[in-house]
Amino acid sequence: MIETSHSQSCQTPLCYMPKLCMISAGIWRLPLPVENVILKKTYTVYRKFVRVCFPIFLASLCIQCTLTLLDKNSSKTTEELFKQLSYFITLLIVEVATILWQRDEVLRLISFVYEEEEKIFRSGEKIIIQAHLKQVHFCKNSNWIVLVFTLFAGSTMILETYWRRFEVEKYNREHNATLPVPFLFELYCYKFDAEKHAAVLHYVNDFAAIINGFRIVSTKTIFFSCIMFVPSVLKQLCIRFRKMGTYEDDIFVILRHLILEHQEVNRFVKKLNDCVKYLILMEYLLDSLNVAATSIQFITYDRKMLASPIFYISHLFVQTFILAWNANEVKIQSLALADAIYDSPWYKQTMGVKKSLLTVILRAQRPLLLTIGPFDAMTTQSGLAIMKASYSYVTLMMNNY
């Protein structure tokens, strides 16, 4: 069932916002929900442009960040260095996630979510649809939180850059000085006069900030939507197992259908974990460093410019704990299936049905997990561990500051 096609015709609510953000960011590879050929060709050109330009943009940012760190005579302040480091870490994670979400096996997982959600709405079971819509509502709220915090973080960074640019230009006019104009992203410009073409670089920075904002939101929200799909299906299985004795159909047919659904969601989680476990490991290792670098900005920044690091730290906190919470929910709901079967009228069934139910209970004792690479499971404790590591990094950096 995981090997599904790439075509979807229904606007399913669970992945609707991530789909729009992925289209805006130029990383949507599945068919567009439009019939206009010109729009499709235009989007293809835009997607290829983004796919080529942003790795170059990231490489330029990396080179400039490295050169600045190695330059002992650099005029950059410590907080500016930490700011560029935190931006590079964020964009590196986003670039890796972008590549991941365009792989064929991941696209098949997204297609599977679409198809299963369509089946839920076609089933006509009100209690199942209501349970799923409740999960959709939670998913939408989580995605909106990510979108709002990312929007505020990106907006304050752009506005702060323009304010600093205005202050520098004002100082240069009043004192006949030639201080360099600040940029949001300090890029390596080989044989390119950055001061002479500062306006062009500012437009490039603004465009990159907007598109990367969409890339951040889309890669996070599609990830959260795929994860939240699992507790939704598991909750529906719990409802169906509890109602097993009330169905009029043959109990063996119902039980076989429920066992097959349980096996499908197990395969889905295994496939999803195989695809994203090293991305989770990368985020686990780098997010603590990113939070620490941003915290240093907050501590050492000009008090007039605190909005940017505050919203950026909040953005990182929100992403980390939504991921940890949802990964933990997958584990909890997979274990709850055994309790749901025990709550069903299993004692009224035949011996063959009882043995089959016992097999499902034994299988449900092994929780479904999203792991941090090949290591431990991602849970709320893992999110707290990232924050504890960030505190340790901040303490170490401040002692050397």
Side-chain angles (χ1 to χ4, degrees):
M1 286 296 294
I2 296 227
E3 303 294 327
T4 56
S5 66
H6 287 183
S7 61
Q8 294 86 21
S9 59
C10 179
Q11 297 287 354
T12 47
L14 193 65
C15 297
Y16 186 66
M17 180 189 290
K19 178 179 179 179
L20 291 180
C21 291
M22 291 178 80
I23 291 173
S24 302
I27 59 176
W28 182 257
R29 279 188 57 204
L30 298 178
L32 290 176
V34 294
E35 298 298 330
N36 192 302
V37 178
I38 297 176
L39 284 178
K40 288 184 178 180
K41 289 183 178 179
T42 303
Y43 179 75
T44 301
V45 172
Y46 168 65
R47 185 169 64 83
K48 290 181 178 179
F49 170 77
V50 171
R51 187 175 181 180
V52 171
C53 288
F54 275 89
I56 299 173
F57 175 85
L58 184 63
S60 176
L61 183 63
C62 177
I63 292 171
Q64 186 59 41
C65 189
T66 304
L67 291 176
T68 305
L69 288 171
L70 296 176
D71 186 7
K72 296 181 179 179
N73 298 321
S74 175
S75 60
K76 301 292 182 184
T77 62
T78 303
E79 56 267 25
E80 289 174 334
L81 293 176
F82 279 120
K83 180 176 73 172
Q84 293 303 316
L85 177 62
S86 64
Y87 291 171
F88 171 71
I89 291 172
T90 298
L91 297 184
L92 176 62
I93 295 174
V94 170
E95 184 63 29
V96 173
T98 300
I99 295 171
L100 169 72
W101 289 111
Q102 296 185 82
R103 293 169 58 190
D104 287 340
E105 53 265 41
V106 179
L107 293 176
R108 284 192 285 270
L109 293 178
I110 298 174
S111 297
F112 179 75
V113 174
Y114 268 74
E115 293 175 2
E116 289 301 306
E117 197 170 11
E118 288 179 10
K119 289 179 183 178
I120 292 170
F121 291 115
R122 287 199 303 264
S123 68
E125 297 183 70
K126 290 184 178 180
I127 188 170
I128 299 298
I129 295 174
Q130 288 174 357
H132 179 67
L133 288 177
K134 186 176 180 181
Q135 190 71 13
V136 168
H137 182 69
F138 177 73
C139 179
K140 283 185 176 180
N141 288 341
S142 300
N143 289 342
W144 270 109
I145 290 172
V146 172
L147 176 63
V148 169
F149 274 91
T150 304
L151 176 64
F152 274 106
S155 300
T156 52
M157 287 189 296
I158 293 174
L159 291 175
E160 178 196 315
T161 304
Y162 274 96
W163 175 257
R164 287 181 176 274
R165 179 185 179 185
F166 172 77
E167 290 287 309
V168 169
E169 290 177 347
K170 180 180 177 181
Y171 180 86
N172 287 342
R173 286 195 304 269
E174 293 177 352
H175 298 84
N176 196 24
T178 56
L179 293 177
V181 178
F183 296 99
L184 177 60
F185 303 111
E186 297 291 342
L187 302 176
Y188 175 70
C189 302
Y190 180 69
K191 293 185 178 180
F192 184 81
D193 192 342
E195 295 184 9
K196 183 178 179 181
H197 302 284
V200 175
L201 286 178
H202 274 292
Y203 289 133
V204 171
N205 272 250
D206 294 344
F207 175 76
I210 293 170
I211 300 301
N212 273 309
F214 281 117
R215 283 155 65 94
I216 290 171
V217 174
S218 59
T219 53
K220 295 299 180 183
T221 55
I222 192 64
F223 189 15
F224 297 156
S225 297
C226 287
I227 296 176
M228 293 181 196
F229 165 75
V230 178
S232 176
V233 175
L234 290 172
K235 288 176 182 178
Q236 294 164 39
L237 283 174
C238 289
I239 293 171
R240 288 188 169 118
F241 269 114
R242 288 191 177 97
K243 293 175 58 182
M244 190 170 52
T246 64
Y247 292 107
E248 297 179 358
D249 298 332
D250 186 356
I251 189 66
F252 281 104
V253 175
I254 295 170
L255 183 58
R256 181 176 179 275
H257 178 70
L258 294 176
I259 290 173
L260 288 176
E261 282 194 14
H262 188 221
Q263 291 173 346
E264 282 182 353
V265 74
N266 287 343
R267 287 195 293 269
F268 177 85
V269 175
K270 185 178 184 302
K271 278 277 189 179
L272 181 63
N273 186 59
D274 289 342
C275 291
V276 303
K277 62 182 179 181
Y278 290 106
L279 175 63
I280 294 177
L281 175 62
M282 182 180 179
E283 292 205 22
Y284 185 84
L285 295 175
L286 295 181
D287 273 358
S288 54
L289 182 60
N290 202 0
V291 172
T294 311
S295 300
I296 294 294
Q297 295 177 52
F298 176 75
I299 295 171
T300 59
Y301 236 42
D302 183 352
R303 290 296 176 263
K304 297 179 181 178
M305 301 291 181
L306 283 181
S308 174
I310 287 175
F311 281 114
Y312 196 64
I313 290 176
S314 302
H315 157 77
L316 295 173
F317 268 90
V318 164
Q319 288 187 167
T320 299
F321 281 105
I322 288 180
L323 171 59
W325 177 272
N326 290 324
N328 197 61
E329 277 296 296
V330 172
K331 177 181 178 181
I332 292 173
Q333 292 301 324
S334 64
L335 292 172
L337 188 62
D339 294 331
I341 295 173
Y342 185 76
D343 292 339
S344 70
W346 58 268
Y347 47 85
K348 297 180 181 179
Q349 309 304 328
T350 63
M351 185 57 65
V353 173
K354 290 178 181 178
K355 288 182 179 179
S356 298
L357 290 174
L358 181 59
T359 302
V360 179
I361 289 175
L362 291 174
R363 174 61 188 87
Q365 300 306 306
R366 289 180 293 170
L368 300 177
L369 300 173
L370 293 172
T371 60
I372 305 171
F375 306 111
D376 201 6
M378 184 68 180
T379 63
T380 50
Q381 295 300 317
S382 306
L384 291 174
I386 292 175
M387 297 303 115
K388 289 179 181 178
S390 301
Y391 176 76
S392 301
Y393 291 151
V394 170
T395 304
L396 179 62
M397 292 174 183
M398 289 305 297
N399 287 337
N400 297 323
Y401 178 64

